[in-house]
Amino acid sequence: MQIPSPIQQVSYNGTTLSIKRDDLIDPFISGNKWRKLKYILQAATAKKKNHLVTFGGAYSNHLLATAAAAAKHQLKATAFVRGEEVSNEMLALCKIFGMQLRFIDRESYRNKPELFKRYFANDEDAYFIDEGGASEEATIGCAEIISELTGPFDYIFCAAGTGTTAVGLLKGINQLNLNTQLHVIPVLKGGDFIREEIARYEQDLDKLHLHTDYHFGGYAKTTPELISFVKDFSSKTGILADPIYTGKMFYAINDLIAKKQVSKDARILAVHTGGLFGILGKLAEFEKIA
Ligand SMILES: *Cc1c(COP(=O)(O)O)cnc(C)c1O
């Protein structure tokens, strides 16, 4: 485990970029999922809960992180997995770490507290962790990314799914009163909802900037252009990105600089939020671009 995570400078397309390597914290409890679980696990332990129950899709980085974290702390783990029963590399790793999987139809999956109640109402040991780890505790863990920084940055970039990581970064920036703008790349279509999600936890949104045009069709959707970019970026920097989260973020940074919406001379920090096993679900797309 590597905390604080290192900050590495890379040069790409004539721009120097600093990257907060949260992907190096732990291979399985990776990136922002480690940050989010840190205080969730503390809360579970304080309540003497020894069974983590959580939720995710079939390629969820959060499920793998929870499975590995549970194993590390000798806790049980159960995941409700959205959709019909499938097998893939990610779920296989979850099972190796001892996680129990329950596949749940998409309709029932929507109401997570209800599912938890239905299966675990009588289980004193069970501890509810929301999809992706979204919670107040998670935002506190993610804010620590900012307290680890050793120098000033004009812009910090991150990818967003639920927006919890972005909340933490914004909280950290506001608490330390940094002169830094937070640029968020939603990976889902219609990413404007992220602003409302963030506002649930943090009132001061002055330093928040959303770029909603880099979803490439929606969550976990890709295009040949995105895949080619990820390959180019990884092959020229030695830093692996996935096409679901960080690939879209690095694409956006590169594109905003090319369009001169971001100065190439700015001090830019990109948060590598980890989750690289997600790339296993997209290998066929890389094969296609040859
Ligand atoms: C889960 C995940 C995100 C999204 O984080 P949110 O806090 O839900 O916005 C970003 N990057 C990676 C690699 C992830 O696994």
Side-chain angles (χ1 to χ4, degrees), residues 34-82:
W34 187 92
R35 303 277 183 189
K36 290 176 171 197
L37 284 169
K38 180 178 174 188
Y39 292 108
I40 293 174
L41 289 174
Q42 273 193 13
T45 311
K47 291 182 178 138
K48 305 232 181 325
K49 306 284 188 182
N50 61 22
H51 182 183
L52 308 179
V53 177
T54 196
F55 307 83
Y59 266 103
S60 161
N61 291 325
H62 166 68
L63 292 191
L64 179 55
T66 306
K72 183 176 172 184
H73 297 279
Q74 285 86 48
L75 305 170
K76 275 173 65 179
T78 298
F80 290 99
V81 186
R82 185 181 60 235

Side-chain angles (χ1 to χ4, degrees), residues 32-33 36 61 159-165 245 273-275:
N32 64 342
K33 302 306 185 285
K36 290 176 171 197
N61 291 325
T162 64
T164 311
T165 304
Y245 292 107
T273 38

Side-chain angles (χ1 to χ4, degrees), residues 261-282:
Q261 292 180 37
V262 166
S263 160
K264 66 188 277 294
D265 300 318
R267 294 164 300 182
I268 302 170
L269 180 79
V271 181
H272 195 313
T273 38
L276 288 168
F277 281 96
I279 210 169
L280 295 177
K282 295 290 173 193

